[in-house]
Amino acid sequence: MTSPDRTTPPQQQYAERSYRSPAALVGGALLLLLGLWLGGDALLRGVVHTKLTALFALLLGVPLVIAFTLRPQVRAGEDRLTVRNPFRTITLPWGAVEDLRAAFSAEVFTSGGKYQLWAVPVSLRQRKKVSRQAARGSAPRPRFGLNADAGPVPRAMADQTLDELREIKERAAHRESAQGEPVVRWSYEVLAPMVVGAVGLAVMVAL
């Protein structure tokens, strides 16, 4: 009697990771609520000129807030890194990524230039806090032996994120499916209403 075939189809080895700024998400949501409350009140209670001004202000302000708070995201898959910034989406095959750094801002470098990672804010204050916490701890212990320090080395959030991205890059850099050229796409769905809102608002203010 033969045993049943238990061969399972190959699955993705590493799940896609997504990175966003919690502070930006919270701040953006609060700003949107405030703007919609003020704008909605003007649309309901104002005269025609006030209503049109509020409408164009919302067309300009809402996409602008979304662009800089809710939209930024970094997605790291097996074969590519997708960077969603306020007004552009950059798709980078891992083979095209040369380096990832975080000095005053998080950046990814390719042979053709560099792109900022808006979704990975660098906090110098957090780095100093982590350094102080590490300094207040016990003296450095050896990596091996009875007194080895098995715990992770404290790192700021942005540095931890870039460490993870570098690991994924190292695993994928030489994979054939991770080769290719960077692709940059402008976010017209954000830019178009902003342009309409800015032009309309300028006209209403001039009247």
Side-chain angles (χ1 to χ4, degrees), residues 20-38 56-73 84-87 118 189-191 193-195:
R20 306 183 79 168
S21 170
L25 294 176
V26 173
L30 293 176
L31 286 174
L32 285 177
L33 288 174
L34 178 62
L36 292 175
W37 175 54
L38 296 174
F56 288 125
L58 288 173
L59 281 175
L60 172 63
V62 170
L64 191 63
V65 171
I66 291 175
F68 284 96
T69 59
L70 306 184
R71 175 178 164 78
Q73 183 183 37
R84 199 168 69 185
N85 283 341
F87 304 122
W118 280 80
E189 66 276 12
V190 174
L191 293 170
M194 286 179 55
V195 171

CSV table of all heavy atoms in Angstrom, one decimal, residues 20-38 56-73 84-87 118 189-191 193-195:
chain,number,residue,atom,x,y,z
A,20,ARG,N,5.4,51.7,8.3
A,20,ARG,CA,4.7,53.0,8.3
A,20,ARG,C,5.0,53.7,9.6
A,20,ARG,O,5.4,53.0,10.6
A,20,ARG,CB,3.2,52.9,8.1
A,20,ARG,CG,2.8,52.0,6.8
A,20,ARG,CD,1.3,52.0,6.6
A,20,ARG,NE,0.9,53.2,6.0
A,20,ARG,CZ,-0.4,53.3,5.5
A,20,ARG,NH1,-1.2,52.3,5.5
A,20,ARG,NH2,-0.8,54.4,4.9
A,21,SER,N,4.8,55.0,9.6
A,21,SER,CA,5.0,55.8,10.9
A,21,SER,C,3.7,55.9,11.7
A,21,SER,O,2.8,56.5,11.2
A,21,SER,CB,5.6,57.1,10.5
A,21,SER,OG,5.6,58.0,11.6
A,22,PRO,N,3.6,55.2,12.8
A,22,PRO,CA,2.4,55.4,13.7
A,22,PRO,C,2.1,56.8,14.0
A,22,PRO,O,0.9,57.2,14.0
A,22,PRO,CB,2.8,54.5,14.9
A,22,PRO,CG,3.8,53.6,14.5
A,22,PRO,CD,4.6,54.3,13.5
A,23,ALA,N,3.1,57.6,14.3
A,23,ALA,CA,2.9,59.0,14.7
A,23,ALA,C,2.3,59.8,13.5
A,23,ALA,O,1.4,60.6,13.7
A,23,ALA,CB,4.2,59.7,15.1
A,24,ALA,N,2.8,59.5,12.3
A,24,ALA,CA,2.2,60.2,11.1
A,24,ALA,C,0.8,59.8,10.9
A,24,ALA,O,-0.1,60.6,10.5
A,24,ALA,CB,3.1,59.9,9.9
A,25,LEU,N,0.5,58.5,11.1
A,25,LEU,CA,-0.9,58.0,10.9
A,25,LEU,C,-1.9,58.7,11.9
A,25,LEU,O,-3.0,59.1,11.5
A,25,LEU,CB,-1.0,56.5,11.1
A,25,LEU,CG,-0.2,55.7,10.0
A,25,LEU,CD1,-0.3,54.2,10.4
A,25,LEU,CD2,-0.8,55.9,8.6
A,26,VAL,N,-1.5,58.8,13.1
A,26,VAL,CA,-2.3,59.4,14.1
A,26,VAL,C,-2.5,60.9,13.9
A,26,VAL,O,-3.6,61.4,13.9
A,26,VAL,CB,-1.8,59.2,15.6
A,26,VAL,CG1,-2.6,60.0,16.6
A,26,VAL,CG2,-1.8,57.7,15.9
A,27,GLY,N,-1.4,61.6,13.6
A,27,GLY,CA,-1.4,63.0,13.3
A,27,GLY,C,-2.3,63.3,12.1
A,27,GLY,O,-3.0,64.3,12.0
A,28,GLY,N,-2.1,62.5,11.0
A,28,GLY,CA,-2.9,62.7,9.8
A,28,GLY,C,-4.4,62.5,10.0
A,28,GLY,O,-5.2,63.3,9.5
A,29,ALA,N,-4.7,61.5,10.8
A,29,ALA,CA,-6.1,61.3,11.1
A,29,ALA,C,-6.8,62.4,11.8
A,29,ALA,O,-7.9,62.9,11.5
A,29,ALA,CB,-6.3,60.0,11.8
A,30,LEU,N,-6.0,63.0,12.8
A,30,LEU,CA,-6.5,64.1,13.6
A,30,LEU,C,-6.7,65.3,12.7
A,30,LEU,O,-7.7,66.1,12.8
A,30,LEU,CB,-5.6,64.4,14.8
A,30,LEU,CG,-5.6,63.3,15.9
A,30,LEU,CD1,-4.5,63.6,16.9
A,30,LEU,CD2,-7.0,63.1,16.5
A,31,LEU,N,-5.7,65.6,11.9
A,31,LEU,CA,-5.8,66.8,11.0
A,31,LEU,C,-6.9,66.6,10.0
A,31,LEU,O,-7.6,67.6,9.7
A,31,LEU,CB,-4.4,66.9,10.2
A,31,LEU,CG,-3.2,67.4,11.0
A,31,LEU,CD1,-2.0,67.4,10.1
A,31,LEU,CD2,-3.5,68.9,11.5
A,32,LEU,N,-7.2,65.4,9.5
A,32,LEU,CA,-8.3,65.2,8.6
A,32,LEU,C,-9.6,65.5,9.2
A,32,LEU,O,-10.5,66.1,8.7
A,32,LEU,CB,-8.2,63.8,8.0
A,32,LEU,CG,-7.2,63.6,6.9
A,32,LEU,CD1,-7.2,62.1,6.5
A,32,LEU,CD2,-7.4,64.5,5.7
A,33,LEU,N,-9.7,65.0,10.5
A,33,LEU,CA,-11.0,65.2,11.2
A,33,LEU,C,-11.2,66.7,11.5
A,33,LEU,O,-12.3,67.2,11.3
A,33,LEU,CB,-10.9,64.4,12.5
A,33,LEU,CG,-11.0,62.9,12.4
A,33,LEU,CD1,-10.8,62.3,13.8
A,33,LEU,CD2,-12.4,62.5,11.9
A,34,LEU,N,-10.2,67.4,11.8
A,34,LEU,CA,-10.3,68.8,12.1
A,34,LEU,C,-10.7,69.6,10.8
A,34,LEU,O,-11.6,70.4,10.8
A,34,LEU,CB,-9.0,69.4,12.7
A,34,LEU,CG,-8.9,70.9,12.9
A,34,LEU,CD1,-10.0,71.3,14.0
A,34,LEU,CD2,-7.5,71.3,13.4
A,35,GLY,N,-10.0,69.2,9.7
A,35,GLY,CA,-10.2,69.9,8.5
A,35,GLY,C,-11.6,69.7,7.9
A,35,GLY,O,-12.3,70.6,7.4
A,36,LEU,N,-12.1,68.4,8.0
A,36,LEU,CA,-13.4,68.1,7.5
A,36,LEU,C,-14.5,68.7,8.4
A,36,LEU,O,-15.5,69.1,7.9
A,36,LEU,CB,-13.6,66.5,7.5
A,36,LEU,CG,-12.7,65.8,6.5
A,36,LEU,CD1,-12.9,64.3,6.6
A,36,LEU,CD2,-13.1,66.2,5.1
A,37,TRP,N,-14.2,68.8,9.7
A,37,TRP,CA,-15.2,69.5,10.6
A,37,TRP,C,-15.3,70.9,10.2
A,37,TRP,O,-16.4,71.5,10.1
A,37,TRP,CB,-14.7,69.3,12.0
A,37,TRP,CG,-15.6,70.0,13.0
A,37,TRP,CD1,-17.0,69.9,13.2
A,37,TRP,CD2,-15.2,71.0,14.0
A,37,TRP,NE1,-17.4,70.7,14.2
A,37,TRP,CE2,-16.3,71.4,14.7
A,37,TRP,CE3,-13.9,71.5,14.3
A,37,TRP,CZ2,-16.3,72.4,15.7
A,37,TRP,CZ3,-13.9,72.5,15.3
A,37,TRP,CH2,-15.0,72.9,16.0
A,38,LEU,N,-14.2,71.6,10.1
A,38,LEU,CA,-14.2,73.1,9.8
A,38,LEU,C,-14.8,73.3,8.4
A,38,LEU,O,-15.6,74.2,8.1
A,38,LEU,CB,-12.8,73.7,9.9
A,38,LEU,CG,-12.3,73.7,11.3
A,38,LEU,CD1,-10.8,74.2,11.3
A,38,LEU,CD2,-13.1,74.6,12.2
A,56,PHE,N,-12.6,74.4,-2.3
A,56,PHE,CA,-11.3,74.3,-2.9
A,56,PHE,C,-10.2,74.1,-1.9
A,56,PHE,O,-9.2,73.5,-2.1
A,56,PHE,CB,-11.1,75.6,-3.7
A,56,PHE,CG,-11.9,75.7,-5.0
A,56,PHE,CD1,-12.7,76.8,-5.2
A,56,PHE,CD2,-11.8,74.7,-5.9
A,56,PHE,CE1,-13.4,76.9,-6.4
A,56,PHE,CE2,-12.5,74.8,-7.1
A,56,PHE,CZ,-13.3,75.9,-7.4
A,57,ALA,N,-10.4,74.7,-0.7
A,57,ALA,CA,-9.5,74.5,0.4
A,57,ALA,C,-9.4,73.0,0.8
A,57,ALA,O,-8.3,72.5,1.0
A,57,ALA,CB,-9.9,75.3,1.6
A,58,LEU,N,-10.5,72.3,0.8
A,58,LEU,CA,-10.5,70.9,1.1
A,58,LEU,C,-9.9,70.1,0.0
A,58,LEU,O,-9.2,69.1,0.2
A,58,LEU,CB,-12.0,70.4,1.3
A,58,LEU,CG,-12.7,70.8,2.6
A,58,LEU,CD1,-14.1,70.4,2.6
A,58,LEU,CD2,-11.9,70.2,3.8
A,59,LEU,N,-10.1,70.5,-1.3
A,59,LEU,CA,-9.5,69.8,-2.4
A,59,LEU,C,-8.0,69.9,-2.3
A,59,LEU,O,-7.2,69.0,-2.8
A,59,LEU,CB,-10.0,70.4,-3.7
A,59,LEU,CG,-11.4,69.9,-4.2
A,59,LEU,CD1,-11.8,70.6,-5.5
A,59,LEU,CD2,-11.3,68.4,-4.5
A,60,LEU,N,-7.5,71.0,-1.8
A,60,LEU,CA,-6.0,71.2,-1.7
A,60,LEU,C,-5.5,70.6,-0.4
A,60,LEU,O,-4.5,69.9,-0.4
A,60,LEU,CB,-5.7,72.7,-1.6
A,60,LEU,CG,-4.3,73.1,-1.3
A,60,LEU,CD1,-3.3,72.5,-2.3
A,60,LEU,CD2,-4.1,74.6,-1.2
A,61,GLY,N,-6.2,70.8,0.7
A,61,GLY,CA,-5.7,70.4,2.0
A,61,GLY,C,-5.8,68.9,2.3
A,61,GLY,O,-4.8,68.3,2.8
A,62,VAL,N,-6.9,68.3,1.9
A,62,VAL,CA,-7.1,66.8,2.3
A,62,VAL,C,-6.0,66.0,1.6
A,62,VAL,O,-5.4,65.2,2.2
A,62,VAL,CB,-8.5,66.4,1.9
A,62,VAL,CG1,-8.6,64.8,2.0
A,62,VAL,CG2,-9.5,67.0,2.9
A,63,PRO,N,-5.8,66.1,0.2
A,63,PRO,CA,-4.8,65.3,-0.4
A,63,PRO,C,-3.4,65.6,0.1
A,63,PRO,O,-2.5,64.7,0.2
A,63,PRO,CB,-4.9,65.7,-1.9
A,63,PRO,CG,-6.3,66.2,-2.0
A,63,PRO,CD,-6.6,66.9,-0.8
A,64,LEU,N,-3.2,66.9,0.5
A,64,LEU,CA,-1.9,67.3,1.0
A,64,LEU,C,-1.6,66.6,2.4
A,64,LEU,O,-0.5,66.1,2.6
A,64,LEU,CB,-1.8,68.8,1.2
A,64,LEU,CG,-0.4,69.4,1.5
A,64,LEU,CD1,0.5,69.1,0.3
A,64,LEU,CD2,-0.5,70.9,1.8
A,65,VAL,N,-2.6,66.6,3.2
A,65,VAL,CA,-2.4,65.9,4.5
A,65,VAL,C,-2.2,64.4,4.3
A,65,VAL,O,-1.3,63.7,4.9
A,65,VAL,CB,-3.6,66.1,5.4
A,65,VAL,CG1,-3.6,65.2,6.7
A,65,VAL,CG2,-3.7,67.6,5.8
A,66,ILE,N,-3.0,63.8,3.4
A,66,ILE,CA,-2.9,62.4,3.2
A,66,ILE,C,-1.5,62.0,2.6
A,66,ILE,O,-0.9,61.0,3.0
A,66,ILE,CB,-4.0,61.9,2.2
A,66,ILE,CG1,-5.4,62.0,2.9
A,66,ILE,CG2,-3.7,60.5,1.7
A,66,ILE,CD1,-6.6,61.7,1.9
A,67,ALA,N,-1.0,62.9,1.7
A,67,ALA,CA,0.2,62.6,1.0
A,67,ALA,C,1.4,62.5,2.0
A,67,ALA,O,2.3,61.7,1.9
A,67,ALA,CB,0.5,63.7,0.0
A,68,PHE,N,1.4,63.4,3.0
A,68,PHE,CA,2.5,63.5,4.0
A,68,PHE,C,2.3,62.7,5.3
A,68,PHE,O,3.3,62.5,6.0
A,68,PHE,CB,2.8,64.9,4.3
A,68,PHE,CG,3.5,65.7,3.2
A,68,PHE,CD1,2.8,66.4,2.3
A,68,PHE,CD2,4.9,65.6,3.1
A,68,PHE,CE1,3.4,67.1,1.3
A,68,PHE,CE2,5.5,66.2,2.0
A,68,PHE,CZ,4.8,67.0,1.2
A,69,THR,N,1.1,62.1,5.5
A,69,THR,CA,0.9,61.4,6.7
A,69,THR,C,0.4,60.0,6.5
A,69,THR,O,1.0,59.0,7.0
A,69,THR,CB,-0.1,62.1,7.6
A,69,THR,OG1,-1.4,62.3,6.9
A,69,THR,CG2,0.4,63.5,8.0
A,70,LEU,N,-0.7,59.8,5.8
A,70,LEU,CA,-1.3,58.5,5.6
A,70,LEU,C,-0.7,57.7,4.5
A,70,LEU,O,-0.6,56.5,4.5
A,70,LEU,CB,-2.8,58.6,5.4
A,70,LEU,CG,-3.6,59.4,6.5
A,70,LEU,CD1,-5.0,59.3,6.2
A,70,LEU,CD2,-3.3,58.8,7.9
A,71,ARG,N,-0.2,58.4,3.4
A,71,ARG,CA,0.3,57.7,2.2
A,71,ARG,C,1.6,57.0,2.4
A,71,ARG,O,1.8,55.9,1.9
A,71,ARG,CB,0.3,58.7,1.1
A,71,ARG,CG,0.9,58.1,-0.2
A,71,ARG,CD,0.8,59.1,-1.4
A,71,ARG,NE,1.7,58.6,-2.4
A,71,ARG,CZ,1.4,57.7,-3.3
A,71,ARG,NH1,0.3,57.0,-3.2
A,71,ARG,NH2,2.3,57.3,-4.2
A,72,PRO,N,2.6,57.7,3.0
A,72,PRO,CA,4.0,57.1,3.0
A,72,PRO,C,4.0,55.6,3.5
A,72,PRO,O,3.5,55.4,4.6
A,72,PRO,CB,4.8,58.0,3.9
A,72,PRO,CG,4.1,59.3,3.7
A,72,PRO,CD,2.6,59.0,3.6
A,73,GLN,N,4.7,54.8,2.8
A,73,GLN,CA,4.8,53.4,3.2
A,73,GLN,C,6.0,52.7,2.5
A,73,GLN,O,6.3,53.1,1.4
A,73,GLN,CB,3.5,52.6,2.8
A,73,GLN,CG,3.5,51.1,3.2
A,73,GLN,CD,2.2,50.4,2.8
A,73,GLN,OE1,1.7,50.7,1.7
A,73,GLN,NE2,1.7,49.5,3.6
A,84,ARG,N,6.6,54.1,-1.1
A,84,ARG,CA,5.5,55.0,-1.4
A,84,ARG,C,5.7,56.3,-0.7
A,84,ARG,O,5.5,56.4,0.5
A,84,ARG,CB,4.2,54.4,-1.1
A,84,ARG,CG,3.0,55.0,-1.8
A,84,ARG,CD,1.7,54.2,-1.6
A,84,ARG,NE,1.3,54.2,-0.2
A,84,ARG,CZ,0.3,53.5,0.2
A,84,ARG,NH1,-0.4,52.7,-0.6
A,84,ARG,NH2,-0.1,53.5,1.5
A,85,ASN,N,6.2,57.4,-1.4
A,85,ASN,CA,6.4,58.7,-0.8
A,85,ASN,C,5.2,59.6,-1.1
A,85,ASN,O,4.3,59.2,-1.8
A,85,ASN,CB,7.7,59.2,-1.4
A,85,ASN,CG,8.9,58.6,-0.7
A,85,ASN,OD1,8.8,58.0,0.3
A,85,ASN,ND2,10.1,58.7,-1.4
A,86,PRO,N,5.2,60.8,-0.6
A,86,PRO,CA,4.1,61.7,-0.7
A,86,PRO,C,3.6,61.8,-2.2
A,86,PRO,O,2.4,61.7,-2.4
A,86,PRO,CB,4.6,63.0,-0.2
A,86,PRO,CG,5.5,62.7,0.9
A,86,PRO,CD,6.2,61.5,0.3
A,87,PHE,N,4.5,62.0,-3.1
A,87,PHE,CA,4.0,62.3,-4.5
A,87,PHE,C,4.5,61.3,-5.5
A,87,PHE,O,4.3,61.4,-6.7
A,87,PHE,CB,4.4,63.7,-4.9
A,87,PHE,CG,3.9,64.8,-4.0
A,87,PHE,CD1,4.8,65.6,-3.4
A,87,PHE,CD2,2.5,64.9,-3.7
A,87,PHE,CE1,4.3,66.6,-2.5
A,87,PHE,CE2,2.1,65.9,-2.9
A,87,PHE,CZ,3.0,66.7,-2.2
A,118,TRP,N,10.1,58.1,3.3
A,118,TRP,CA,9.3,59.0,4.2
A,118,TRP,C,8.7,58.2,5.3
A,118,TRP,O,8.4,58.7,6.3
A,118,TRP,CB,8.3,59.7,3.3
A,118,TRP,CG,8.8,60.9,2.6
A,118,TRP,CD1,9.5,60.9,1.4
A,118,TRP,CD2,8.6,62.3,3.0
A,118,TRP,NE1,9.8,62.2,1.0
A,118,TRP,CE2,9.3,63.0,1.9
A,118,TRP,CE3,8.0,62.9,4.0
A,118,TRP,CZ2,9.3,64.4,2.0
A,118,TRP,CZ3,8.1,64.3,4.1
A,118,TRP,CH2,8.7,65.0,3.1
A,189,GLU,N,-3.2,60.8,-8.6
A,189,GLU,CA,-4.4,60.8,-7.9
A,189,GLU,C,-4.3,61.7,-6.7
A,189,GLU,O,-5.3,62.1,-6.1
A,189,GLU,CB,-4.7,59.3,-7.4
A,189,GLU,CG,-3.8,58.7,-6.4
A,189,GLU,CD,-2.6,58.1,-7.0
A,189,GLU,OE1,-2.3,58.3,-8.2
A,189,GLU,OE2,-1.8,57.4,-6.3
A,190,VAL,N,-3.1,62.0,-6.2
A,190,VAL,CA,-2.9,63.0,-5.2
A,190,VAL,C,-2.7,64.4,-5.7
A,190,VAL,O,-3.2,65.4,-5.2
A,190,VAL,CB,-1.7,62.6,-4.3
A,190,VAL,CG1,-1.4,63.7,-3.3
A,190,VAL,CG2,-2.0,61.3,-3.6
A,191,LEU,N,-1.9,64.5,-6.8
A,191,LEU,CA,-1.5,65.8,-7.4
A,191,LEU,C,-2.7,66.5,-8.1
A,191,LEU,O,-2.8,67.7,-8.0
A,191,LEU,CB,-0.4,65.6,-8.4
A,191,LEU,CG,1.0,65.1,-7.8
A,191,LEU,CD1,1.9,64.7,-8.9
A,191,LEU,CD2,1.6,66.2,-6.9
A,193,PRO,N,-6.2,66.6,-7.6
A,193,PRO,CA,-7.1,67.4,-6.8
A,193,PRO,C,-6.4,68.6,-6.1
A,193,PRO,O,-7.0,69.6,-5.9
A,193,PRO,CB,-7.6,66.4,-5.8
A,193,PRO,CG,-6.7,65.3,-5.8
A,193,PRO,CD,-6.1,65.2,-7.2
A,194,MET,N,-5.1,68.4,-5.8
A,194,MET,CA,-4.3,69.5,-5.2
A,194,MET,C,-4.2,70.7,-6.1
A,194,MET,O,-4.3,71.8,-5.7
A,194,MET,CB,-3.0,69.0,-4.7
A,194,MET,CG,-3.0,68.1,-3.5
A,194,MET,SD,-1.3,67.6,-3.1
A,194,MET,CE,-0.4,69.2,-2.9
A,195,VAL,N,-3.9,70.4,-7.4
A,195,VAL,CA,-3.8,71.4,-8.4
A,195,VAL,C,-5.1,72.2,-8.6
A,195,VAL,O,-5.2,73.4,-8.6
A,195,VAL,CB,-3.3,70.9,-9.7
A,195,VAL,CG1,-3.3,71.9,-10.8
A,195,VAL,CG2,-1.8,70.4,-9.6
